[in-house]
Amino acid sequence: MYDLVVTGGLAVTPAGPQPLDIAVRGEQIVALGMHGAFPEAARTIDATGAVVIPGGVDPHVHYSVSFAGADSETQDHSYAAAAGGTTTIVDFVFHEMQAVPYLTPGEAIQRKKDESAGRMAVDYGLHLVLTQNPSFEAIEEIGDVIRGGIPTIKTMMTYGWISDDGHILGVMEEVARHGGLSVAHAEDDAIANWLTAKYLREGKTHGGYIAETRPALVEEAAIRRLMLLCEHTGSSLYVLHMAAASGVRALAEGRAKGLKLFGETLTPYLSFTSDALFDDANRGLLWNNYPTIKSQSDQDELWRALADGRLETVGSDHLGFTAEQRYGTMGTTVDELQAGQAGVELRLPVLYSMGVTGGRLSLERFVEVVSTNPAKIMGLWPRKGQLAVGADADIVLIDPERRWTVRNEDLHMLPDYSCWEGWEMTGKVTTTILRGDVLYEDGTYVGSRTGGRFLERTLLPAYASGGAPVAEAVPS
Ligand SMILES: [Zn+2]
């Protein structure tokens, strides 16, 4: 007798898509078998005609962030993730050297854990962001942080959270020493500042110029600096939100030299191009993100890189602000423009519709980039990211034929607009199960909004920093 059986669907397992039933006992998958193999179940979900995949893992989500005078959507809306087929997210803890009162990294992590506890609908992990120029004491805590289940340590190369290359070197050395994975926001601050000043001097202040003041060069330059630091520290590196084709090429060169590099792109970069920014009638600046969205040729290359393995994952960079917060509270000029797109609920649907239905990704590759790879790279494997015996029963059903139109009023995220409003989609998430609990069913959220658990993450050796620094290991 099983607690739950999902029967009749096309299950995408590590061995590929197969007609299999999935049997669940408690919170785990305990058996996979031919259709009809498990007739004895307390509850049976008919998945006939559906594609059945492991729950989505979004490696890049922000809840409860405050900046530029505005507070973003909170953890209380995390049930939107489940409504979009995502059962695990990784959020960020910001450690700020200049915060008053000052919190150590450990204290900042505890505060974020307290803030999230009892308010998350899906399971979650945390990245630590060491912002500004962290002190020796803050850097020396990295080992404890990694051992405490937060093995991904992020630095920022621009904005008010910028760390200079010396401090990034210090952070990456410590990450490498403790077998962690460095994570970075790669944009070259100096080049962006120079171009911004130049545009302001020329009177080009419209926020739409942001794609020109922060062009592909800004991304590529930062990625190349990070790769040099990887070479000298032996740290592995996950580059967040890659938007530029030249950045993808740089990463591939680094890999060819033996560096452990992993690349993430975002749903918005796969969906939009920078032309949207000048569309004032439709509040085009809402489409902005950092790094900036790029050209059509960049977007085409991102899709190719995702399909052929040069990029590993797709995140949402979910950050929910209202249109009024974006256009009113924050600035709209090229030097004050802010970003933030609510997208955790649409990551899987957009990737399915544009990717699988659109013929850009195989079904297997789709599952890899939205679930399996993020789970593996972020240290959540084998519990998350696969339909296999022993894994958590995080199961998502997609109706591959269902056509629907994105309407923000039908979504579960807080913001009053969606960048995907009016998009015609083919393929819809119909059911989401988290550890055996049905959270979303036939288009209705039916489950707990507070059952998500904090996950301590442990990196697989393939993704952790390890061994001698490559620069020394390779004979010259
Ligand atoms: Zn982000």
Side-chain angles (χ1 to χ4, degrees):
M1 182 77 168
Y2 299 103
D3 295 322
L4 175 69
V5 168
V6 177
T7 183
L10 181 69
V12 186
T13 72
Q18 301 173 73
L20 289 175
D21 287 1
I22 301 164
V24 174
R25 203 172 275 142
E27 299 190 341
Q28 291 187 323
I29 295 171
V30 292
L32 292 118
M34 287 168 19
H35 286 166
F38 314 113
E40 304 274 299
R43 177 164 183 199
T44 298
I45 291 179
D46 182 5
T48 304
V51 171
V52 183
I53 68 167
V57 178
D58 191 333
H60 193 154
V61 172
H62 301 275
Y63 288 117
S64 298
V65 177
S66 300
F67 65 77
D71 300 325
S72 84
E73 185 207 69
T74 66
Q75 287 86 345
D76 303 312
H77 285 81
S78 58
Y79 71 106
T86 287
T87 49
T88 303
I89 62 108
V90 189
D91 194 350
F92 294 76
V93 181
F94 281 79
H95 169 267
E96 297 181 73
M97 277 314 294
Q98 290 156 25
V100 181
Y102 174 76
L103 300 178
T104 65
E107 289 165 349
I109 289 166
Q110 191 56 50
R111 186 177 62 173
K112 184 80 182 185
K113 283 184 177 173
D114 292 346
E115 174 191 290
S116 304
R119 294 170 70 190
M120 287 292 298
V122 295
D123 286 352
Y124 58 103
L126 296 170
H127 302 284
L128 174 65
V129 199
L130 289 174
T131 72
Q132 298 153 348
N133 284 336
S135 63
F136 284 108
E137 290 76 13
I139 291 173
E140 284 158 7
E141 273 193 52
I142 286 173
D144 287 339
V145 171
I146 292 172
R147 283 186 292 276
I150 301 179
T152 42
I153 312 295
K154 175 181 173 183
T155 49
M156 307 262 306
M157 302 173 83
T158 187
Y159 308 111
W161 290 304
I162 185 171
S163 302
D164 66 32
D165 282 17
H167 288 81
I168 295 176
L169 172 70
V171 168
M172 288 175 72
E173 278 178 338
E174 197 71 2
V175 169
R177 183 172 299 132
H178 294 282
L181 170 62
S182 292
V183 176
H185 180 123
E187 281 188 290
D188 190 292
D189 195 61
I191 296 175
N193 288 343
W194 165 253
L195 290 172
T196 305
K198 190 162 169 277
Y199 271 61
L200 290 176
R201 182 178 162 86
E202 292 168 3
K204 295 191 226 168
T205 57
H206 189 291
Y209 286 115
I210 202 80
E212 295 174 32
T213 59
R214 307 185 85 92
L217 172 66
V218 165
E219 240 181 288
E220 184 190 350
I223 289 170
R224 290 189 182 280
R225 280 161 51 207
L226 286 167
M227 282 163 41
L228 196 57
L229 296 176
C230 287
E231 213 172 307
H232 285 266
T233 60
S235 178
S236 54
L237 173 70
Y238 180 82
V239 184
L240 295 157
H241 44 40
M242 293 179 63
S246 58
V248 175
R249 282 194 292 275
L251 210 66
E253 287 173 31
R255 282 181 189 139
K257 291 169 80 175
L259 300 175
K260 278 178 156 177
L261 305 171
F262 311 100
E264 169 194 277
T265 188
L266 303 181
T267 337
Y269 302 147
L270 297 167
S271 305
F272 312 117
T273 57
S274 55
D275 323 344
L277 299 171
F278 281 106
D279 186 357
D280 290 336
N282 288 307
R283 299 179 301 186
L285 296 178
L286 296 174
W287 273 257
N288 183 50
N289 200 31
Y290 293 122
T292 51
I293 48 175
K294 304 289 190 301
S295 68
Q296 187 63 56
S297 67
D298 287 288
Q299 186 187 104
D300 294 344
E301 183 68 357
L302 294 177
W303 276 110
R304 282 192 292 269
L306 208 54
D308 69 23
R310 285 174 293 149
L311 288 172
E312 278 82 9
T313 68
V314 179
S316 66
D317 202 358
H318 176 87
L319 178 57
F321 288 112
T322 62
E324 172 54 25
Q325 282 176 313
R326 289 284 303 279
Y327 259 84
T329 314
M330 303 169 169
T332 56
T333 53
V334 76
D335 54 333
E336 288 187 340
L337 188 63
Q338 300 293 340
Q341 285 162 338
V344 70
E345 187 172 357
L346 291 171
R347 184 186 66 117
L348 232 92
V350 168
L351 261 286
Y352 190 88
S353 191
M354 288 189 84
V356 181
T357 310
R360 296 175 175 93
L361 300 176
S362 67
L363 188 53
E364 297 95 310
R365 187 62 187 162
F366 161 74
V367 170
E368 282 172 10
V369 301
V370 300
S371 177
T372 309
N373 288 351
K376 284 185 172 174
I377 295 171
M378 292 303 151
L380 296 161
W381 181 271
R383 231 181 118 178
K384 303 294 188 186
Q386 62 172 342
L387 294 176
V389 171
D392 282 358
D394 300 346
I395 302 167
V396 169
L397 274 60
I398 296 171
D399 177 346
E401 309 293 339
R402 181 93 62 95
R403 297 175 68 85
W404 60 291
T405 304
V406 177
R407 300 202 190 291
N408 192 57
E409 62 190 51
D410 299 333
L411 300 176
H412 301 74
M413 302 180 285
L414 181 67
D416 53 353
Y417 72 96
S418 171
C419 290
W420 289 269
E421 181 76 25
W423 273 46
E424 301 287 340
M425 314 276 273
T426 304
K428 191 170 197 320
V429 171
T430 57
T431 300
T432 302
I433 300 165
L434 171 68
R435 286 184 274 100
D437 277 339
V438 179
L439 298 187
Y440 182 76
E441 195 172 24
D442 297 331
T444 305
Y445 197 87
V446 297
S448 166
R449 295 187 184 191
T450 57
R453 287 188 198 144
F454 174 71
L455 302 170
E456 291 196 0
R457 298 180 291 123
T458 307
L459 297 177
L460 298 169
Y463 306 100
S465 307
V470 175
E472 290 168 25
V474 177
S476 50

